[in-house]
Amino acid sequence: MMRVSDFRSDTVTRPSRDMLEAMLRADVGDDVLDGDPTVAALERRVAELLGKDGAWFVPSGTMANSVAVGSWTRHGDEILLERSAHMVQWEAGAAGALHGVQSTTIVAEDGRLPLDELRRSIRLRSLHCPRTTLVCVEQSFMGSGAGPGGRVVPLEHLRAVHALAREQGIAVHMDGARLMNAVVASGVAAREYAACADSVSLCLSKGLGCPVGSLIAGPREFLERARLVRKRLGGWMRQSGVLAAAGLYALEHNVARLAEDHELARELASVLDGFDGLECSPNTVESNIVMARVTHPRHTPESLMAALRERAVLVLPQNATTLRFVTHLDVSTEDVARVVVALEELLG
Ligand SMILES: *Cc1c(COP(=O)(O)O)cnc(C)c1O
């Protein structure tokens, strides 16, 4: 079988043999009836990692974010987020559809919500206005494709957002689907970033290589409400210790190695930038996401994606001008070399 080089997302990884063996060995129980010891261990481990009172295990990052929105808000409230944030762009309108809140967006291509605009966006406490109750930040920030992707939002910025929100009595949720990428890229501890938010979600099935699972962490009062919201969303699972075991394995073995993904992403960016018709500056690559602008006269991101697919290289268009490449556990320099061969044929 021909090897496929899959740069579409860091979600495409297959569980390794060692991870599968850890899953086989997991001690399990019915988490809904009497608790599952491996899920409990993962929840404690993540709560400790993030410096929060506790965490709940849920099937997906989308559900982790949804639990946060449902827990911090009431119907008719308003939440503030960046316009291309995952929660706005890629979660099928969950905040409005499931929790009845209005999402008001602010544009910040680097993921840093401008503080003056954030302050202006918080509504008057008036019967005429929705209550602004939650600000959401994303770390690392995937980006829209208008600029670089996988940005690490600086700690000082996150602190300033949190201080502003707190002063206004508003909670902050951090969509930390790729938080560990930001941690490894910056050297700042996870709990330092997490301290800038009241609740934090963390995805195990992105760069960390698990088949399933996310966690939502926060303070005690939040967790009580969050457990109810998770129950309503159908996210309370049974012998989920088999999945939690993969998470514990990943936190042990797959975090430090994210540095290799970041290195490979920079290498890929410099390769892409070397082709006429592609623009991608390697020194803007901070983590594992590479956004390449297609400026070639005969190609669009769509046409290039299709042509690359014929050469067993998979990528995704991010928008009408940009192709997205994501590095992860299951791609290597060998796959970057295959991109070079394919692009030489197509653009050379
Ligand atoms: C992937 C992702 C999520 C959640 O995705 P799921 O596919 O539901 O696990 C949330 N936020 C960001 C920034 C993501 O990249």
Side-chain angles (χ1 to χ4, degrees), residues 129-280:
C129 302
R131 288 194 323 156
T132 311
T133 40
L134 183 67
V135 176
C136 301
V137 294
E138 191 176 296
Q139 178 75 308
S140 65
F141 178 66
M142 191 176 79
S144 64
R151 301 294 296 270
V152 178
V153 183
L155 186 61
E156 318 77 69
H157 176 79
L158 294 168
R159 282 186 177 144
V161 169
H162 194 217
L164 195 165
R166 196 181 280 171
E167 165 205 310
Q168 301 287 326
I170 294 171
V172 175
H173 170 65
M174 179 179 289
D175 177 353
R178 293 192 182 86
L179 178 63
M180 299 319 289
N181 289 90
V183 166
V184 169
S186 64
V188 174
R191 57 164 60 217
E192 292 276 312
Y193 285 133
C196 306
D198 300 285
S199 59
V200 182
S201 61
L202 177 73
C203 188
L204 301 169
S205 61
K206 291 274 165 74
L208 299 181
C210 294
V212 179
S214 279
L215 288 107
I216 173 72
R220 209 167 307 286
E221 324 76 69
F222 165 84
L223 290 165
E224 215 167 290
R225 172 83 183 150
R227 185 160 58 170
L228 170 67
V229 177
R230 176 180 68 168
K231 170 70 192 175
R232 286 187 178 146
L233 294 173
W236 201 358
M237 299 176 283
R238 302 284 181 179
Q239 285 76 16
S240 36
V242 287
L243 303 173
L248 286 165
Y249 177 91
L251 290 172
E252 189 69 32
H253 297 96
N254 292 350
V255 174
R257 66 147 307 284
L258 290 170
E260 297 168 31
D261 297 347
H262 301 171
E263 184 54 43
L264 191 67
R266 280 191 293 274
E267 185 183 323
L268 178 62
S270 78
V271 158
L272 297 176
D273 201 40
F275 284 94
D276 282 338
L278 288 178
E279 276 174 20
C280 175

Side-chain angles (χ1 to χ4, degrees), residues 264-297:
L264 191 67
R266 280 191 293 274
E267 185 183 323
L268 178 62
S270 78
V271 158
L272 297 176
D273 201 40
F275 284 94
D276 282 338
L278 288 178
E279 276 174 20
C280 175
S281 168
N283 46 29
T284 62
V285 174
E286 296 176 42
S287 60
N288 68 328
I289 299 175
V290 179
M291 300 284 189
R293 262 172 64 78
V294 180
T295 55
H296 197 274

